[in-house]
Amino acid sequence: MAPNDKNLDNPLPGQFNSTQLNVVTTLDVANTVASKSIDGRAFLMDNSPHSKGKGTPQLQTICKQGQVLNWLIYCLDMDQRQDKTWPPMARIVNIVFLDEGGEEVLGTQVCSDLKIYGGPDEIRSPYTPSYYYWAGMVRPDLEPGIYKYRLVYELDADGGGMKHYFQLSEPSLRVLPYDFVPQHPHKD
Amino acid sequence: MINVKSIIDVVGALDDNTLAGNCYLYDDNRRGGSLNQGTHKLATAVKKGDQILWTVTPMECEAYADITAINVPQDICEVKRYTYDGTAIVYWLGTVKEAVDDLPYSITLNVGSHSFSMTCDHGSRLIKGNA
């Protein structure tokens, strides 16, 4: 895109598209493991006003070139139990962007710095808040369009033991040009 | 150049329906006589020929704010809107054309994901400094 060309030598091109978006998976961990199926037990939501499919696994997040996205998980059962044990937790272990044929492409071609953040080794430390989330920046020179991606989740089993893996392959990003202005900002 | 930075509590502003108390203005000309740093009543000391750069930072990284107008007489301070190259981030540059004594001005902003228009006109001023 011509307006971005002269910024490609700039080490921080487009990093001033300052508003971050959050994409949240709400997940019923125990029942997913028990039934061996994530169908109907994971709901995706984001805070981009015009996204489609909110609350479903087919969430399409509207975002712009250069925007930072955070992928978070809320487990439906998260509180410490009365007997001081914790319910099984889940985390995202991979985010993979898919090309049109559904084959995998390198995530860094769509998002840069796509990785785990938040100090996850200190989860449940009594001394410091810590989080286990993924984040990345939509590349400022990425061609606007729709980019499907796969979320791979790792679920703990209650009481320890082998972890379980599930994935959602239907969410997507709809990437708009960095200077896109909606025609009717208050119409939905 | 004098930098005027607005830190906006977007959630607070939308909740209170006013920028009063939700807008923290700072500039880097305290030595020149600016007063009331960190409040919505910032008085920025300027003299003829000074350039002023207005920028906005939303207090939360998931919240949106940008400046849509600097409301000041153009014959006293001529202002223009720009965006940083390759981004949609807005800044405003002004050039002080005449010496000022005590001139109230206001900043109009888009606040939040739905670009709600709000004006911070609760006491920001350009004043004569001690230079």
Side-chain angles (χ1 to χ4, degrees):
Chain A
M1 287 196 88
N4 280 324
D5 282 353
K6 50 182 168 334
N7 286 296
L8 290 180
D9 292 336
N10 177 346
L12 297 175
Q15 270 206 10
F16 300 110
N17 291 339
S18 60
T19 310
Q20 299 195 11
L21 294 176
N22 296 330
V23 180
V24 179
T25 303
T26 305
L27 181 61
D28 181 348
V29 178
N31 285 315
T32 300
V33 170
S35 69
K36 298 185 174 46
S37 168
I38 198 172
D39 288 345
R41 298 190 176 88
F43 314 95
L44 296 190
M45 190 64 188
D46 70 37
N47 61 347
S48 178
H50 305 287
S51 293
K52 299 204 178 334
K54 288 193 179 187
T56 76
Q58 293 85 28
L59 175 70
Q60 182 173 95
T61 300
I62 310 253
C63 56
K64 291 184 175 180
Q65 294 168 318
Q67 217 165 2
V68 171
L69 268 61
N70 303 297
W71 281 271
L72 318 173
I73 287 199
Y74 295 165
C75 304
L76 276 178
D77 187 5
M78 286 229 300
D79 293 328
Q80 189 173 31
R81 297 164 173 150
Q82 298 237 315
D83 63 3
K84 303 296 186 201
T85 61
W86 292 91
M89 210 169 73
R91 61 201 64 82
I92 297 170
V93 290
N94 210 359
I95 301 179
V96 185
F97 283 91
L98 309 173
D99 66 15
E100 277 163 20
E103 299 297 317
E104 301 174 6
V105 300
L106 288 175
T108 50
Q109 289 181 11
V110 176
C111 276
S112 60
D113 292 310
L114 182 64
K115 57 185 169 35
I116 295 169
Y117 292 81
D121 293 342
E122 297 301 319
I123 291 274
R124 299 194 183 128
S125 161
Y127 307 116
T128 178
S130 66
Y131 311 94
Y132 193 127
Y133 68 97
W134 281 69
M137 180 183 77
V138 177
R139 287 181 57 101
D141 55 355
L142 185 69
E143 186 70 29
I146 295 176
Y147 293 86
K148 296 186 83 154
Y149 62 94
R150 173 177 299 141
L151 287 163
V152 183
Y153 303 98
E154 177 183 89
L155 280 62
D156 296 338
D158 200 355
M162 202 174 66
K163 297 186 195 297
H164 300 84
Y165 297 88
F166 297 86
Q167 61 192 36
L168 294 179
S169 301
E170 291 175 289
S172 57
L173 303 181
R174 180 152 175 236
V175 178
L176 302 176
Y178 70 84
D179 55 1
F180 178 84
V181 175
Q183 295 290 309
H184 302 283
H186 298 286
K187 193 170 157 181
D188 198 354
Chain B
M1 182 159 77
I2 299 170
N3 291 288
V4 179
K5 165 79 69 184
S6 307
I7 316 266
I8 307 292
D9 180 348
V10 170
V11 174
L14 293 174
D15 198 29
D16 295 341
N17 200 24
T18 178
L19 284 165
N22 294 304
C23 179
Y24 306 87
L25 305 181
Y26 294 91
D27 71 38
D28 55 3
N29 199 27
R30 183 153 62 169
R31 186 189 306 161
S34 293
L35 303 167
N36 307 332
Q37 299 288 346
T39 75
H40 52 254
K41 295 180 185 294
L42 176 71
T44 301
V46 301
K47 58 187 189 305
K48 182 171 170 180
D50 278 343
Q51 258 209 329
I52 309 174
L53 168 65
W54 280 275
T55 56
V56 158
T57 301
M59 200 176 273
E60 293 171 63
C61 62
E62 294 100 342
Y64 180 78
D66 74 68
I67 299 174
T68 56
I70 305 285
N71 303 302
V72 64
Q74 290 295 285
D75 52 348
I76 300 187
C77 183
E78 189 181 328
V79 296
K80 193 161 174 303
R81 177 189 186 272
Y82 299 85
T83 54
Y84 289 104
D85 253 355
T87 82
I89 306 301
V90 173
Y91 64 95
W92 285 72
L93 268 181
T95 305
V96 181
K97 301 243 128 127
E98 298 295 334
V100 303
D101 209 28
D102 188 329
L103 178 66
Y105 75 98
S106 65
I107 305 175
T108 303
L109 299 147
N110 276 333
V111 178
S113 310
H114 295 279
S115 291
F116 190 58
S117 181
M118 303 183 84
T119 298
C120 189
D121 59 357
H122 310 287
S124 41
R125 285 139 58 207
L126 299 178
I127 60 172
K128 180 175 170 180
N130 52 24

